[in-house]
Amino acid sequence: HDVLASSDYMLTARSPYAVTEQQTEDRIDAREWAETQAAIVGLGISEEDTESLLGALSAILRLGNLDFALAGEGSVGPDSMRLVDGQYGQNLEDSGPDTAAIAARLLGVSRAELEKALCYASVEAGRERAELSLSESECSDRRAMLVTQLYARVFNWLQMNINQAIASTGDVRAVSIFDLPGLIVHEANNFENLCSNYSCEKLAAHYYRQLFKVEHALYVAEQFHVPDLDKRLDNQSAIDLLEGNGHTM
């Protein structure tokens, strides 16, 4: 089947989205969109599921561009928040003035329903139910949780469909996707950043050892001709630097 164009999901060619935090000019979005189309068709994903998949990913990008401001008169309370375009949302010239409406449409809900879910909390006391307005930071936390949950479910759904696509009636085959966390680099780094990056380095080393070193050793032991491993993937020197002689870390 034919996959719809990126414009059908209200995506622009310049990728100005807060979720991705990148606006590299050397990216060729049209080519990458074509590659995505080919991968979706190759997996045999139905047209209906494709629209849901791309709609969810587009909604995630739009949700990241939302911000919150005081609602003003006529709201539930004086400190009630409302959805507004954030910095990245304002830069989307061809997206229209209301990022929240686009995100809501992609999620299959109304703008009012999305705003209520992100800006208010329902509290029940006996038979009474009250709507409490949330602070700006609480609204931002809710948006972050929604984005995280949406992306996690899309990720799991994709992995399930990939495994189904490559499965055969004979030998059981499956692919496992391991997304290594990225290193944290700020202008001013603290001990927490160091510990986080150290954990990332250890995870990467374990991945490299089990997937490459161990398998490579087995092939060599069986006298298969295999190329040497790429030394650039081995981060043991970075780990040795951090661990030192047992007293530096």
Side-chain angles (χ1 to χ4, degrees):
H1 60 83
D2 294 329
V3 178
L4 299 177
S6 60
S7 57
D8 293 306
Y9 300 97
M10 283 72 76
L11 297 176
T12 66
R14 291 175 289 115
S15 303
Y17 300 104
V19 171
T20 58
E21 293 186 351
Q22 59 184 7
Q23 298 187 55
T24 51
E25 296 181 358
D26 58 343
R27 295 177 65 90
I28 305 177
D29 287 351
R31 183 183 66 193
E32 293 182 359
W33 183 262
E35 292 172 353
T36 302
Q37 288 180 315
I40 290 173
V41 173
L43 287 173
I45 298 176
S46 69
E47 186 171 351
E48 182 180 0
D49 285 343
T50 297
E51 291 183 7
S52 297
L53 168 65
L54 298 178
L57 291 173
S58 301
I60 290 171
L61 293 174
R62 292 292 176 176
L63 286 171
N65 285 357
L66 291 177
D67 210 339
F68 305 91
L70 289 174
E73 296 182 3
S75 58
V76 175
D79 297 326
S80 299
M81 307 302 294
R82 62 185 176 90
L83 293 174
V84 295
D85 282 352
Q87 175 185 354
Y88 287 90
Q90 294 171 357
N91 292 336
L92 289 175
E93 299 172 358
D94 54 351
S95 69
D98 195 352
T99 301
I102 296 175
R105 189 194 322 167
L106 290 167
L107 292 173
V109 298
S110 68
R111 188 192 188 286
E113 288 172 323
L114 178 62
E115 186 170 78
K116 180 178 178 181
L118 295 179
C119 300
Y120 298 91
S122 295
V123 178
E124 292 187 7
R127 297 182 179 180
E128 299 293 329
R129 168 177 286 190
E131 297 290 337
L132 299 181
S133 56
L134 302 175
S135 66
E136 182 177 356
S137 61
E138 290 172 330
C139 293
S140 297
D141 289 342
R142 282 202 164 198
R143 180 195 57 192
M145 287 188 288
L146 176 59
V147 167
T148 301
Q149 284 298 314
L150 280 172
Y151 188 81
R153 295 189 182 200
V154 167
F155 191 92
N156 292 336
W157 184 88
L158 263 180
Q159 184 175 353
M160 179 188 69
N161 277 268
I162 291 172
N163 284 332
Q164 289 178 348
I166 66 175
S168 63
T169 56
D171 297 334
V172 177
R173 300 178 182 179
V175 59
S176 297
I177 303 175
F178 179 50
D179 188 9
L180 282 170
L183 298 178
I184 300 174
V185 180
H186 300 298
E187 291 185 7
N189 297 282
N190 54 31
F191 183 69
E192 181 182 353
N193 299 141
L194 175 63
C195 291
S196 177
N197 288 340
Y198 173 62
S199 300
C200 291
E201 293 288 0
K202 293 290 283 187
L203 276 173
H206 177 77
Y207 173 79
Y208 177 76
R209 180 174 60 254
Q210 295 301 121
L211 189 62
F212 295 105
K213 282 188 174 181
V214 173
E215 292 297 321
H216 186 270
L218 288 175
Y219 280 109
V220 171
E222 295 293 333
Q223 298 184 346
F224 285 99
H225 177 70
V226 290
D228 293 334
L229 294 174
D230 189 345
K231 300 296 184 181
R232 294 173 298 177
L233 298 176
D234 192 346
N235 66 338
Q236 189 58 47
S237 59
I239 294 175
D240 291 341
L241 178 64
L242 288 168
E243 295 180 344
N245 57 7
H247 301 288
T248 58
M249 186 64 185

